[in-house]
Amino acid sequence: MRHILKKGIVISILCITAGLISNSVYAEEQAVKPIKLKSKCIKQYPLAANQTDHALLDIYQQACDKDNASRVNDLLAQAAMRMYELKQPMNALKLATQLQEQNVRGATLTDVTFLASVEIANQALQHMRSDEMRYLSNELTYPPAKQLSDGIRAAVPAPDTSTSKAITDETLKKESRNIAPANTNTRRTTTKKVRTTQPARNNVTQTAAPVKKQAAVAPAVTKQPTVQKTGSNPFDSLK
């Protein structure tokens, strides 16, 4: 019994130590070391000053590394997008504009320019409506806003067809099979209608009143008045 108890105590101690070690390793992995940019890097990229986001500082740190000289433009475009995600549209637009002035092009920069500009425009519109209590003017602010609205309406994404089924020979055969019974049913219904309507026509002809023939009218015969002969006995009719 003592040996069993000793073994149980040893096993429990080993389990506890293993758990503590794993927890400490996990805590070390979760702990993120703060990134502090060098003064030379901040001087080269002034928009990186006073930034505290770890992901954004990591992008700038990679951009300042000489080994990533060929990826600087891509990294800076990522930094501009990250600034927009951090609700810094002015900084994002500034960085995107600087890169575009250096003839740097790309879909990410175009998206950043559009998103940051829309965010800034929305902020100005909300300030105009809520704080200044006024509308867009027909002469100045409404025409470009309408032009932007029309452009956005024309650039609506196409419908997603990824979930639609592809048209194959089997699907066409199934559709033809489904359509065939429908045609036969329609034919049957039409023939039935014809059969039911046929007796109606016969009934109409049978029940129609015959044409009455007008009887020939015999000419009225006018009786000639009997002329009593003179000299005859007037009492002959009493005999």
Side-chain angles (χ1 to χ4, degrees):
M1 292 293 292
R2 293 179 180 177
H3 293 291
I4 295 172
L5 291 172
K6 288 181 180 179
K7 289 182 179 179
I9 293 169
V10 171
I11 292 171
S12 61
I13 293 171
L14 291 175
C15 291
I16 293 170
T17 54
L20 292 173
I21 292 170
S22 62
N23 289 331
S24 62
V25 171
Y26 179 77
E28 289 178 0
E29 291 177 354
Q30 292 297 319
V32 178
K33 295 181 179 179
I35 297 175
K36 187 176 181 180
L37 298 177
K38 297 179 180 180
S39 58
K40 184 179 180 180
C41 183
I42 295 174
K43 186 178 180 180
Q44 185 177 359
Y45 303 110
L47 293 176
N50 301 323
Q51 295 290 345
T52 58
D53 183 68
H54 184 271
L56 181 60
L57 294 175
D58 182 55
I59 294 172
Y60 272 112
Q61 190 176 33
Q62 294 181 36
C64 292
D65 191 356
K66 294 180 180 180
D67 296 336
N68 297 323
S70 59
R71 299 175 53 240
V72 171
N73 293 332
D74 294 336
L75 291 170
L76 293 177
Q78 295 176 16
M81 180 62 76
R82 183 58 184 170
M83 287 179 179
Y84 168 75
E85 294 172 354
L86 294 172
K87 304 299 180 182
Q88 301 177 14
M90 292 297 295
N91 290 335
L93 188 59
K94 285 180 182 179
L95 182 55
T97 304
Q98 290 176 3
L99 293 173
Q100 290 174 355
E101 288 176 353
Q102 297 173 5
N103 294 326
V104 179
R105 298 290 183 271
T108 303
L109 286 179
T110 305
D111 292 341
V112 170
T113 303
F114 176 78
L115 293 171
S117 301
V118 171
E119 182 67 22
I120 295 170
N122 283 330
Q123 291 178 1
L125 181 61
Q126 294 300 324
H127 177 73
M128 182 189 302
R129 297 290 295 121
S130 60
D131 297 337
E132 299 178 354
M133 301 297 291
R134 61 189 181 92
Y135 297 95
L136 296 174
S137 62
N138 292 323
E139 297 79 10
L140 183 63
T141 54
Y142 179 73
K146 185 179 183 301
Q147 185 179 3
L148 177 62
S149 178
D150 294 340
I152 292 173
R153 191 177 294 107
V156 172
D160 186 11
T161 58
S162 59
T163 57
S164 61
K165 295 181 180 179
I167 299 174
T168 59
D169 295 337
E170 294 181 358
T171 56
L172 293 175
K173 289 179 181 178
K174 290 181 180 179
E175 290 180 357
S176 62
R177 291 174 184 174
N178 294 330
I179 294 171
N183 294 332
T184 55
N185 291 331
T186 55
R187 290 177 181 176
R188 289 176 183 175
T189 53
T190 53
T191 54
K192 288 181 180 179
K193 289 181 179 179
V194 172
R195 290 175 183 176
T196 54
T197 54
Q198 186 66 30
R201 295 178 181 176
N202 294 331
N203 292 333
V204 172
T205 55
Q206 290 176 1
T207 56
V211 180
K212 295 182 179 180
K213 296 181 178 181
Q214 293 179 355
V217 179
V221 177
T222 56
K223 294 181 179 182
Q224 296 292 331
T226 58
V227 180
Q228 293 182 356
K229 296 180 178 180
T230 59
S232 61
N233 188 4
F235 299 103
D236 288 340
S237 59
L238 300 175
K239 288 179 180 182

